[in-house]
């Protein structure tokens, strides 16, 4: 008898993910249509953590962490993503959700909207590029 453990033959099976319908309603996380966005800053240090963007044409909205913020920027995103999901569950259009989040002076979490930062971008890729480079 061998001292080697038998290898389960299923370890060689191909696995694939097939998304099933249902689950909570969510905004699309990408669009090539125009979007509005605002800057999220750290409540304590005032450094830029990321950006929240939304566009009604494709029903899209998301949080984009600023690459230079590192893990702090990524971790701050959980709060904004939860708030976007809650807005979607209430059937708000993405622009309505963005206005609600931007208008909340104390949104909870580690970040807050930077006053005066609401701006337009040609698409989600422009906000992603901003997050990657700035």
């Amino acid at each position: 008898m061998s001292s080697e453990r038998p290898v389960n033959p299923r370890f060689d099976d191909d696995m694939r993910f097939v998304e099933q319908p249902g689950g909570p309603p969510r905004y699309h996380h990408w669009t090539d249509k125009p979007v509005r966005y605002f800057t999220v800053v750290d409540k304590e240090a005032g450094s830029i953590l990321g950006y929240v963007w939304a566009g009604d044409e494709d029903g899209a909205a998301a949080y984009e962490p600023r690459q230079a913020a590192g893990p702090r920027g990524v971790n701050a995103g959980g709060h904004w993503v939860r708030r976007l999901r809650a807005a979607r569950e209430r059937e708000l259009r993405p622009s309505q959700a963005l206005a609600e989040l931007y208008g909340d002076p104390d949104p909870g979490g580690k970040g807050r909207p930077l006053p005066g930062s609401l701006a337009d971008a040609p698409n989600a890729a422009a906000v992603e590029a901003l997050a990657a480079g700035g």
Side-chain angles (χ1 to χ4, degrees):
M1 184 152 91
S2 169
S3 64
E4 290 185 34
R5 294 180 62 189
V7 176
N8 187 331
R10 295 198 65 198
F11 287 159
D12 291 328
D13 288 353
D14 286 337
M15 295 183 67
R16 62 187 180 110
F17 174 75
V18 178
E19 188 172 351
Q20 297 294 314
R26 296 181 181 168
Y27 296 116
H28 296 287
H29 64 275
W30 185 257
T31 182
D32 60 355
K33 307 286 193 289
V35 298
R36 297 210 74 190
Y37 70 94
F38 65 82
T39 304
V40 176
V41 294
D42 187 293
K43 287 182 180 178
E44 297 168 8
S47 59
I48 298 173
L49 297 173
Y51 305 90
V52 177
W53 61 264
D56 286 343
E57 286 187 59
D58 285 340
Y63 170 81
E64 189 66 46
R66 182 174 180 236
Q67 190 172 13
R72 191 160 176 84
V74 173
N75 291 339
H79 172 75
W80 297 99
V81 168
R82 282 190 299 276
R83 293 201 56 203
L84 285 169
R85 286 183 184 161
R88 179 65 179 97
E89 288 174 359
R90 291 182 292 141
E91 299 182 0
L92 294 181
R93 289 190 342 254
S95 61
Q96 292 173 312
L98 187 76
E100 183 177 278
L101 272 66
Y102 182 69
D104 189 350
D106 188 21
K110 302 246 183 255
R112 64 174 175 76
L114 178 65
S117 67
L118 193 60
D120 295 311
N123 52 41
V127 180
E128 186 176 284
L130 180 65

